Amino acid sequence: MYSIGHALELAGRQNLDLVEIAPNAEPPVCKIMDFGKYLYVQKKKERESRKRQHQMQLKEVRFRPRTDTHDFEFKTKHARQFLEEGNKVRAYVQFRGRDIIYKDQGMKVLARFVDALKDVAKIDQAPRMEGRRMTTILAPSKPK
């Protein structure tokens, strides 16, 4: 246990800083270290951890009320890839002109889509109408 003046003198001789670690302890705990290097290492660790994080994106898949089976399967396969990569998928049925009277067909398309992906996804937002679109959002069931 050193006095503050003596500890500052020791740090000065070594060209280092006196850093207070636990100010509420009795007596306060200090450490002699290169504070600039410490901050640099902390920022580097933070950058590394941020680099390893996966930013979840929202991918979109568009259908029409009378989408054919091949197109449906093709788009479902892409949605499956998006979900396996850890991204969310927004699937929507676009109604144009008089298609708006076929809302039941749009609901069937989305129900089929959700059913085809139920092994890799869970419903984040149930199907609902937004203007001339019927939209649902799927999230990956287990994170990547």
Side-chain angles (χ1 to χ4, degrees), residues 21-60:
I21 303 289
N24 296 332
E26 199 51 54
V29 179
C30 296
K31 188 175 182 180
I32 296 175
M33 65 167 40
D34 186 353
F35 193 65
K37 182 178 178 182
Y38 171 76
L39 289 177
Y40 170 76
V41 170
Q42 289 296 104
K43 286 181 183 175
K44 191 172 180 180
K45 284 181 186 175
E46 184 182 323
R47 276 196 305 270
E48 283 295 317
S49 69
R50 212 178 313 132
K51 194 183 292 183
R52 280 187 234 109
Q53 286 180 349
H54 174 74
Q55 288 291 332
M56 186 176 288
Q57 294 179 335
L58 183 64
K59 304 283 190 168
E60 289 193 345

Side-chain angles (χ1 to χ4, degrees), residues 56-71:
M56 186 176 288
Q57 294 179 335
L58 183 64
K59 304 283 190 168
E60 289 193 345
V61 179
R62 186 184 75 161
F63 296 102
R64 298 284 308 279
R66 294 181 298 265
T67 299
D68 197 32
T69 55
H70 176 264
D71 295 332

Side-chain angles (χ1 to χ4, degrees), residues 10 12 18 24 29 47 52 72 92 103 117 124:
L10 285 172
L18 182 67
N24 296 332
V29 179
R47 276 196 305 270
R52 280 187 234 109
F72 177 82
Y92 64 92
K103 289 181 186 175
L117 295 173
D124 206 31

Side-chain angles (χ1 to χ4, degrees), residues 9-10 13 64 70 75 88 104 115 125 128 143:
E9 184 182 319
L10 285 172
R13 274 194 236 143
R64 298 284 308 279
H70 176 264
K75 291 176 182 187
K88 288 186 175 185
D104 57 329
D115 190 49
Q125 183 184 80
R128 65 179 182 158

